Each structure stands twice: as structure tokens, then as C-alpha cells.
Amino acid sequence: MISVEEARARLEAAGQSHLLRFWPELSPGERRRFLGELAQFDPAQLRGHCRAAAEAARREPSAHDRLDRRLEPVPPEFVGGVGRSDPDTLKAWEDEGFLQISRNRVAVLLLAGGQGTRLGVSYPKGMYSVGLPSGRTLYQIQAERIQKLERLACEKHGSKCTIPWYIMTSEFTLEPTENFFKENNYFNLARSNVVMFEQRMIPAVSFDGKVILENKGKIAMAPDGNGGLYQALLDNKILEDMEKRGVQYLHVYCVDNILVKMADPVFIGFCVKKGADCGAKVVEKAHPAEPVGVVCRVGGVYQVVEYSEISPETAEKRHSDGTLVYSAGNICNHFFTLDFLKAVSEKCESKLKQHVALKKVPCVDEEGNWVKPEKPNGIKMEKFVFDVFQFSRDFVAFEVRREEEFSPLKNADTATKDTPATARRALLSQHYRWALAAGASLVDSQNRKLPPTPRLADSEDPPATCEISPLVSYFGEGLEAVLKGKELKSPLVLEEKVAEELRAQ
């Protein structure tokens, strides 16, 4: 613990002496906590952080034409995909992926530092239920997909295997996430194979370069973006844990995609067969102006370029067959070798770009009144997980079908897209397609047969409600033995017990 005199000297050196202006009003307990928080900051680093944040917020964005001239798409020889490859090739990649999983070489790493604020809840997004018939949360869906994948690999190779699950949280999400997993018995995963760790928090800064006070004795802090992963891996000795377990390949993803294929054997196998050190799953952009980042090359270096950084003219460029030149939409779904992760964490983390996010930061004003601002009043500096693509020597991209693998949950149902309703519809539509493909027919509550509708519009609910437990099928496999020739009454939740009963009929 440092003294208040030492704290004052440090803050003056950092140009942040205003942080102690309410010191006389703090209780003894509040003073101890505040001094403990202030002791964590190095004056020079804090001064540099605040100066960089203010300068970055003032800086004009680069002109489109400067970036556009340097853009080029990922070369086709480094792009694979579900729709681009024949069944035999896809099967070979899947076999390779399952082989690596069976040898305990594959782990998954979840980026779960965000709260569900935009969903209207204060708890972590992974704890959210989108309203499926079963009531499953995102965490449960993902945990059960891991279990099913472990079982499939075991069946294929005759040996028990483990897919460790690393979960990066933040100061806001660590404790509730830990408690949620304990309350749910880790969703029947071995507790030792679920490794939670915390990313760094950094101060929010005002537009004039001053650290913002959340209350009279606490600094307003924010996670350092999902690109804080690389520093967090070092801080928490996660790389050493991976090494001890024999992990060689990592699947890294964001918590909010309800359709995510955990440790997808096809994607893992594709990357391994290609000798990649870094890979990205992408979806084809729906239209030129869709607000998603594009995976491409800039000056020969791989990166994700935000949609706002590309001119409309460049975004609308097309190949002779009519497809977009810059079509590889980023979905925060990545492959890394452990060697690559170690190299970027240990040698390149300091070189990652700091991105500016202007935020509404709750704070105390000059008089000490708590304020919830109606417009952005602060700067949060973030790093992005994909900014390490530039350091890859063997980068690949893998295109997947949006309706099968990407439906993010970002907004409350009052919004028009990326809501609980759209996520629920995406999953139930997928499961409905799986049931039809397996040879099932569906009837309504009055036993009236429902005509099959395999192709649905994005805004169209399936004619029957059919939810399939991840423990029954990871990605549609094995359902024919359960559902072929069966008449299923909607709504149906196909849990393991129900599947066994149907199989026995």
C-alpha cells in the first residue's frame, strides 16, 4: 500500500492530480481501496496512455484513397470454404481435425469480457438465454458442443480425449461467470478443463486527456478490448498451461455467436493441412455496404479493414462473375497455432494498434455529483484480437455459410438485427433443416402434417419448432438413425433421452 503523499506525487508526475480532489470526503475504507487502485499505475505509463488517447481521438481518419490504393483481396490459393470445396476434400480436412482433437492437441478459447448492456442486462452475455424452448444459455450451448465433439473424436479414434476450454473474462464478468459455472456444475465438463482468466483493465480518459472518476474514490476502468488477449495470456501464465497439456492448436471466438462451431474439425483440419499459423473464418458479405470488417491484405500484410475505412467505390468492386472482390466478412472466429500465439504475445503485443472508442462513461462531475451522460464523454482505448494477422507468415481464410455458422447476439429485441429473436430464429431454423434432412416429418399440435420448407427467408420462422440438444448432434450428424421416418410433434426439444426413445422405436 502506498501513502496518500506518494499517490499525490505519482499523480502529479502523470498529470492526473485531479483524481484526489474528493479525498477529504472519503471514508477510511474508501481511502484504502482507492490507494490500492492508484498503486497499480506507473506514472509514465499513465501519462503516456492519457496523452495517446486524447491525441488519437482528435486525429482525423485516414483518407479512403490512401488505403484503397493498397488494398488487395486474400489470394484464392489461401482461401478454403464449405461452398468452394468438394465433399472428399472437406472430409479429408474433417478427418485431420478429428485426429488432432483425439490427440489432445486442440483447445478452444472464448473471448467473454463483455457484459450484456446492449441487451438490457447487467450480467455477462454468455449467461443470456435467447428464449429457446429448452431455456439453454449461450454458455450451456457451447459447453455441450465441446462435450459432443469430444465424444465424436473418441468414437472415431477409440481413445478418450479432452478439449480444454479457456475463457477470458474481465473485471466485470469473472466473478459472475465463475459463479454461474459452479451453480451449473460446469455443465458436466471437468472443472480442471475450464480455465478462466482475466484481461487487463485500463482507465477511461476524457477528451482533454484526464482520467475519469467513476465515483469519488474509484477510477472508471474498461477492458482493453479483445486484443487484450495476448497480454492476458502472459499475465495469467495461460501459455504455460496450454504447453503442459500438449495443446498445439487454438480455436478463438467471441461469446455472442449462437451458431459457433466449437473447435470445428473441418476448419482445424484445413488450417493444419495448409500449414497455417493463423486462420480466419469469414462469411460472404451480404451487400457492399454491410457494416462488417473485411479480411484482406493492405500493402501485402493481412489485416481486417473496418467497413468505414473502405470507400464505397472499392466496397462495390466485383469480379467478372459478379461476386464482390472484398467479400470476406470477419466474424471473430480464428485459428492460431500455440507457437504463433506465444510469438505474438511475447514479442509483438506492444506493436498492436490502439483503436479509439468514444463512449458514454458514467462519472462524477466537478461538484462530485454522479452523472450518466447522454452523449460520449470519454475515450476507451482497445486492441482487437485480429490485429495480429499482420504477423502471420502462413495466413489462410475459410469461408462458411452465414445461415449455418454466424448469428451474433448484440442488441435487445427493440433493434432490427442481431437480437435474441434473430439468434433464436437462426438456431431453430438450422435445427429444422437438420430434422428434414434426416428424414423426419413434422406435425402441429393437432397432428396436422406440416409441409416441409427447407429454404426460409432470414425473417421467416420455421413452420415447426424443433430444438436439438448439442449432446445429440454437434452439426447435424447422426440424426438419420434417430429421426428417419419419424413423425415429430411441434414444439419438440430433442434431448438425449428423447433421442434414445425415438431410436428404439
Side-chain angles (χ1 to χ4, degrees), residues 47-302:
R47 186 182 192 92
H49 169 72
C50 295
R51 183 179 294 163
E55 288 175 358
R58 287 193 294 266
R59 200 177 299 134
E60 287 294 318
S62 300
H64 281 146
D65 60 349
R66 268 183 282 165
L67 183 61
D68 285 5
R69 283 200 299 267
R70 301 167 61 219
L71 277 184
E72 54 184 335
V74 179
E77 62 267 28
F78 300 121
V79 181
V82 174
R84 297 167 177 254
S85 308
D86 61 79
D88 288 343
T89 301
L90 292 172
K91 178 68 165 52
W93 291 336
E94 182 181 61
D95 288 346
E96 179 66 27
F98 271 120
L99 178 64
Q100 300 302 331
I101 291 168
S102 75
R103 292 179 174 174
N104 298 301
R105 293 175 178 169
V106 178
V108 289
L109 198 160
L110 166 59
L111 305 172
Q115 295 167 290
T117 311
R118 282 161 63 185
L119 292 168
V121 298
S122 58
Y123 51 81
K125 269 189 186 180
M127 293 166 55
Y128 194 86
S129 167
V130 300
L132 293 171
S134 68
R136 279 180 169 83
T137 60
L138 295 177
Y139 279 147
Q140 182 177 354
I141 291 168
Q142 293 169 20
E144 291 179 347
R145 284 181 184 150
I146 290 174
Q147 289 178 66
K148 182 61 176 178
L149 199 53
E150 289 174 341
R151 292 181 196 172
L152 290 171
C154 179
E155 289 168 10
K156 287 178 180 292
H157 292 278
S159 57
K160 189 177 179 183
C161 63
T162 297
I163 302 172
W165 193 9
Y166 296 92
I167 301 176
M168 186 178 78
T169 64
S170 66
E171 178 185 293
F172 303 129
T173 62
L174 178 59
E175 186 177 352
T177 299
E178 285 181 330
N179 291 338
F180 188 69
F181 272 73
K182 288 173 186 173
E183 290 162 8
N184 289 279
N185 193 31
Y186 286 77
F187 304 102
N188 296 316
L189 291 168
R191 183 173 179 169
S192 61
N193 294 327
V194 180
V195 181
M196 297 183 196
F197 62 102
E198 194 173 333
Q199 70 183 112
R200 285 188 177 183
M201 304 288 285
I202 54 176
V205 180
S206 66
F207 296 128
D208 59 355
K210 299 297 181 184
V211 171
I212 296 173
L213 280 173
E214 182 180 307
N215 59 46
K216 293 179 181 180
K218 187 175 189 331
I219 290 172
M221 303 287 283
D224 54 354
N226 58 29
L229 167 67
Y230 309 105
Q231 185 63 53
L233 291 174
L234 296 176
D235 291 345
N236 297 279
K237 300 189 183 309
I238 299 299
L239 296 168
E240 288 93 324
D241 185 86
M242 292 172 177
E243 215 161 12
K244 285 176 187 172
R245 294 173 186 263
V247 170
Q248 294 183 18
Y249 308 111
L250 277 297
H251 173 221
V252 178
Y253 69 100
C254 280
V255 69
D256 57 10
N257 178 11
I258 198 169
L259 298 181
V260 64
K261 289 178 72 178
M262 318 286 293
D264 174 15
V266 180
F267 181 44
I268 298 292
F270 166 74
C271 292
V272 171
K273 288 273 196 182
K274 289 287 186 181
D277 56 7
C278 175
K281 270 193 181 182
V282 298
V283 295
E284 185 178 2
K285 285 182 66 173
H287 53 83
E290 184 182 11
V292 296
V294 173
V295 178
C296 59
R297 292 202 298 193
V298 179
V301 175
Y302 290 102

Side-chain angles (χ1 to χ4, degrees), residues 230 234 340-353 383 387-388 390-392:
Y230 309 105
L234 296 176
F340 179 76
L341 266 188
K342 284 176 65 179
V344 297
S345 298
E346 294 170 357
K347 301 173 186 175
C348 306
E349 197 278 336
S350 62
K351 300 175 186 175
L352 294 181
K353 179 182 176 181
K383 294 179 179 180
D387 282 334
V388 298
Q390 62 182 304
F391 306 117
S392 172

